[in-house]
Amino acid sequence: MKILVINAGSSSLKYQLIEMENEAAIAKGIVERIGQKCSTLMHKGSKNVTFDDLVIPTHTEAVKTVLDALLSSEYGVIKSVSEISAVGHRVVHGGEDFSESVLLTEEAMVKIAGNTDLAPLHQPANIIGIRACQAVMPNVPHAGIFDTTFHATIPDYAYMYAVAYDDYKSYRLRRYGFHGTSHMFIAGECKKLLGGDKNLVICHLGNGASISAVKGGKCIDTSMGLTPLEGLMMGTRSGDIDTAAVDYLCDKTGLSVKGVIDYLNKKCGLLGVSGVSSDFRDLRKAIGEGNTRADLALWMFCYRIKKYIGSFAAALGGVDCIVFTGGIGENAALVRQRVMTGLEYLGVTFKNEVNDNPSGGIYKLSSGKTDVYIIPTNEELVIARETARLAF
Ligand code: ADP
């Protein structure tokens, strides 16, 4: 059985075709700059097929382009569209309506649209992507897998902001959390690896970064909030900051509130502090060349992760396993080392020599009571698994 996984952005469409028998991605790619001159990358095994300068006017045409490519003799992944058994869609926000993935009925689509104000930049694009796929593939089940639902088990005292209760009720103003598919995948891998549900702290560190506390297989807290701006310092996001700084910055810069929030999302974090880049590889190089601001940015990034690990260990009543995942978590030995140094009090014996040379894949970095692992994430596979579970 083959499942097509779709992640639609406002001008892009990422896809992966997954063979569920061995859970392998048999093709993946991205259509970018929909509506302008597109750049389309198809990837099958080690073979890249790129289409530059195509003008693809709509997401529906983008879906057709992807299917044509999958069917083409050059790419040759499927012989007929009927080989695609179901489509799984990444949806950013489930709000309080969805505590699980769902089949995308018209009723579900109405509820998804009802959460647009919680993710005004991403939810409309997700809806457009779903509609496009439903139009082109009307006869297969479509499922919605949300970034938020893994966090639906967080108790009220952890997801509430200390605002007037009526405002929480009227405006759904609360913490939701994101990166749920990644945290869910890692929790599942840990259960297999550790032989049961343990107390986990999962550090998903990519361009966006979040950390979650998982107990008994259920998420009990996470660092992102109403939006992905809260929590850890990230590539371009500030993470936690005194809310009153927004007003202060409006006064100082003349920016509107929206302008300051945009600044906090796009110009801060590793990029803003270092003045070099939001990308860890660039920072690593700059640190090697003696750039002290790049070094400061990375120390700040690591310090905040360490603080969250400590607070989540307290929330969990002790931690059995700390996991690093995401592009930085999986690849940045310097980050893991800076984060783990000084966490011996949690029962961690961190092996620096192993950390410096992991061999890829799942890798244990510790001895002692508390485990530390690198576990590569696979968000598309979670979406495909959830889709298969719901559709068949
Ligand atoms: P996204 O949140 O966009 O999915 P990723 O999970 O791909 O982000 O993570 C991107 C980050 O991971 C970047 O900061 C990048 O520098 C870092 N990264 C990716 N691959 C490597 C690598 N091989 N070595 C060091 N850092 C890496």
Side-chain angles (χ1 to χ4, degrees):
M1 177 170 62
K2 296 179 181 61
I3 305 266
L4 183 62
V5 174
I6 295 287
N7 182 354
S10 56
S11 64
S12 69
L13 190 103
K14 279 193 211 151
Y15 75 92
Q16 247 185 54
L17 188 65
I18 297 183
E19 175 55 76
M20 296 310 286
E21 255 78 281
N22 56 2
E23 298 196 322
I26 50 178
K28 59 182 168 183
I30 179 167
V31 183
E32 287 179 301
R33 294 193 289 274
I34 296 169
Q36 307 165 39
K37 275 194 177 168
C38 283
S39 163
T40 306
L41 172 68
M42 309 287 174
H43 181 79
K44 181 197 168 197
S46 58
K47 183 175 163 194
N48 279 340
V49 187
T50 50
F51 304 88
D52 283 323
D53 293 344
L54 267 179
V55 177
I56 299 180
T58 63
H59 283 71
T60 305
E61 291 303 317
V63 176
K64 286 183 186 160
T65 305
V66 168
L67 293 182
D68 285 349
L70 293 173
L71 288 161
S72 71
S73 53
E74 186 179 9
Y75 205 41
V77 179
I78 50 174
K79 291 194 173 61
S80 155
V81 175
S82 64
E83 287 179 45
I84 299 174
S85 302
V87 185
H89 297 265
R90 177 197 173 212
V91 184
V92 166
H93 223 302
E96 293 194 319
D97 292 315
F98 298 99
S99 53
E100 286 206 328
S101 311
V102 287
L103 286 174
L104 293 169
T105 59
E106 279 310 304
E107 191 190 348
M109 291 302 291
V110 169
K111 285 188 185 160
I112 289 172
N115 284 312
T116 297
D117 54 351
L118 291 170
L121 298 180
H122 297 104
Q123 200 89 331
N126 294 160
I127 293 170
I128 289 169
I130 294 166
R131 291 298 189 201
C133 290
Q134 286 175 330
V136 178
M137 290 170 280
N139 299 321
V140 296
H142 292 256
I145 289 76
F146 302 87
D147 274 18
T148 49
T149 52
F150 183 65
H151 306 302
T153 47
I154 295 176
D156 50 7
Y157 55 80
Y159 72 64
M160 287 288 295
Y161 289 120
V163 296
Y165 192 81
D166 287 348
D167 290 334
Y168 153 61
K169 277 295 184 199
S170 306
Y171 308 130
R172 298 171 293 170
L173 175 64
R174 51 161 282 188
R175 305 176 62 252
Y176 291 94
F178 297 88
H179 290 146
T181 49
S182 177
H183 290 289
M184 181 176 174
F185 178 81
I186 300 296
E189 291 296 290
C190 284
K191 184 171 182 170
K192 284 189 265 173
L193 200 61
L194 307 172
D197 286 321
K198 307 283 181 180
N199 286 1
L200 313 173
V201 174
I202 301 170
C203 309
H204 174 106
L205 312 175
N207 286 317
S210 67
I211 180 162
S212 68
V214 178
K215 193 178 185 73
K218 294 191 162 71
C219 185
I220 62 155
D221 207 345
T222 194
S223 57
M224 284 179 167
L226 175 75
T227 77
L229 183 55
E230 189 178 341
L232 299 177
M233 179 174 167
M234 309 181 210
T236 61
R237 295 187 190 122
S238 64
D240 295 335
I241 187 168
D242 183 344
T243 329
V246 174
D247 180 51
Y248 184 77
L249 272 171
C250 287
D251 281 351
K252 291 288 176 196
T253 62
L255 286 169
S256 63
V257 170
K258 274 197 175 3
V260 170
I261 298 297
D262 197 53
Y263 157 85
L264 293 172
N265 268 304
K266 296 185 184 155
K267 296 193 176 151
C268 294
L270 293 170
L271 171 69
V273 176
S274 70
V276 174
S277 169
S278 62
D279 192 290
F280 171 75
R281 287 164 288 203
D282 300 334
L283 289 184
R284 185 74 192 85
K285 185 162 172 283
I287 292 169
E289 291 162 0
N291 185 317
T292 52
R293 260 174 62 187
D295 199 37
L296 170 65
L298 205 69
W299 274 115
M300 290 168 64
F301 180 77
C302 297
Y303 176 70
R304 200 170 288 187
I305 298 165
K306 184 184 291 200
K307 276 212 304 192
Y308 266 96
I309 291 175
S311 66
F312 283 178
L316 287 162
V319 55
D320 300 311
C321 182
I322 298 167
V323 181
F324 288 93
T325 194
I328 295 177
E330 291 165 33
N331 297 297
L334 182 61
V335 169
R336 295 190 301 260
Q337 185 220 316
R338 286 186 177 183
V339 170
M340 295 314 299
T341 304
L343 290 186
E344 295 76 16
Y345 76 96
L346 287 177
V348 175
T349 307
F350 189 65
K351 293 178 156 175
N352 269 314
E353 66 287 2
V354 180
N355 179 52
D356 285 340
N357 299 295
S359 67
I362 295 178
Y363 215 73
K364 190 172 177 184
L365 305 175
S366 62
S367 58
K369 182 173 83 60
T370 304
D371 294 327
V372 181
Y373 274 96
I374 298 171
I375 303 182
T377 196
N378 194 336
E379 298 173 72
E380 290 79 10
L381 182 54
V382 167
I383 295 175
R385 282 178 183 166
E386 285 287 277
T387 304
R389 179 179 70 79
L390 289 165
F392 304 103

